[in-house]
Amino acid sequence: MISHNQQLFERAQKHIPGGVNSPVRAFKSVGGTPRFFVAGSGAHVTDADGKSYVDYVGSWGPLILGHAHPGVLAAVQEATRKGLSFGAPTESEVDMAELLCESLPSLEMVRLVSSGTEATMSAIRLARGHTGRDLLIKFEGCYHGHSDSLLVKAGSGMLTLGNPSSAGVPADLARHTLVLDYNDTAGLEAAFAEHGAQIAALIVEPVAGNMNLVMPRPEFLQAMRRLCSEHGAVLIFDEVMTGFRVGAGCAQGLYGITPDLTTLGKVIGGGLPVGAFGGRREIMAQVAPLGPVYQAGTLSGNPVAVAAGLATLKCVRAAGFYEQLTQRTRQLTDGLRAAAARNGVPFSAQAVGGMFGLYFRPECPQTYAEVMSCDQQAFNRFFHGMLDAGHYFAPAAFEAGFVSAAHAEADIAATVAAAEAVFKAW
């Protein structure tokens, strides 16, 4: 009999491009039928056929407390009783701004938006307005949302200006983006030596999470800060994914780097759409209505979404929260590494905070090229074996995974045992 998931996917494809509202959900890179989820509780989700999975996607990062956390649900229910949206200021927006600025010393002022894409797009516009320059530096393999300036891939040479990586992005716009190699300090220094006077901003995922998980070399982040300061460029840390995922002070606290602007999302919305950008007061003062850089949003600072985010952030600030989350995540990566080794499968894994990366290669990658050398077919085989066994990983070889505070030792142990069986079958 055809599954309910398959029936829903066939219906969806008639009226939704590709049958999904975000591309990676389509299972295109791994093959098969996407799962349509109907419920989630703690570390578990249930699909349309009634099958339960241990979830390592967590809505792509926001659900650091797990699905349907009672405290978050209570905050949302209380907020909805007062109204869904006002299009006017609310006290909860002020509470969120104060909490974010208290948590991150680099934030002196912050503006709430509704998505990570809005946050990065606005931060780049602000950097250009503040400096009066046009050129943007980004890194191959880092994803900062789907605004035009950021849908750019590298050219043939290290210092080649970018080319559009999506139809509909003007080549004239892409030429204002310089694409470099992640973790290549020498390439970064060469780019500033040649283009320093034209560079408005450098944007980076301080821990890359969109080409799988790639850890930064400390000297790479340090060089960014030094070069941006020397040349008057704005350093933007895109912490939409890493923000409050890798630690209480985000990646900037973990590595001791102070960016000029920071973008946030995911965890600060607790599962509902919230984003933010903020930083130095002198830069943020350029944002309308104070300054000439325009940014607006009808649902920015939506009270229901902000309530979910505030409830989440208050929970993660509890003593020992990140120590336990880190320990649980490393339990997963250590267990999977050991299971692969026992069965002779070339495999590596690493974790930071509640994020992890799995790679079908002997050593963890440090560059985009090394990520691309991973055995994608091996990942696809692993993915489907684990899916069949009731463990849901990201349906793509080049995405980071996430563990929540709701994952118990028993959940992790069950996942490692399932992986052992999958590897043994190879």
Side-chain angles (χ1 to χ4, degrees), residues 27 30-35 37 45 47 51-54 380-393 395 418 422:
F27 277 35
V30 294
T33 301
R35 300 305 187 259
F37 292 124
V45 287
D47 74 10
K51 182 171 180 176
S52 178
Y53 306 83
V54 180
N380 292 354
R381 191 175 178 184
F382 170 81
F383 170 82
H384 281 289
M386 297 301 288
L387 191 68
D388 291 343
H391 303 268
Y392 186 66
F393 288 85
V422 169

Side-chain angles (χ1 to χ4, degrees), residues 205-223:
E205 291 181 275
V207 176
N210 286 285
M211 52 174 161
N212 211 318
L213 177 71
V214 178
M215 306 284 276
R217 293 171 178 148
E219 65 271 18
F220 179 60
L221 296 182
Q222 292 162 4

Side-chain angles (χ1 to χ4, degrees), residues 336-421:
L336 293 176
R337 265 199 313 268
R342 284 191 293 270
N343 292 279
V345 176
F347 179 86
S348 55
Q350 63 184 341
V352 54
M355 291 176 63
F356 65 86
L358 310 178
Y359 325 95
F360 284 87
R361 70 190 303 271
E363 296 179 350
C364 295
Q366 292 188 313
T367 66
Y368 177 77
E370 290 178 354
V371 169
M372 298 308 292
S373 74
C374 294
D375 187 339
Q376 185 169 350
Q377 293 308 310
F379 171 82
N380 292 354
R381 191 175 178 184
F382 170 81
F383 170 82
H384 281 289
M386 297 301 288
L387 191 68
D388 291 343
H391 303 268
Y392 186 66
F393 288 85
F398 307 116
E399 298 285 351
F402 303 95
V403 171
S404 76
H407 283 79
E409 285 190 17
D411 294 316
I412 305 296
T415 299
V416 172
E420 179 93 42

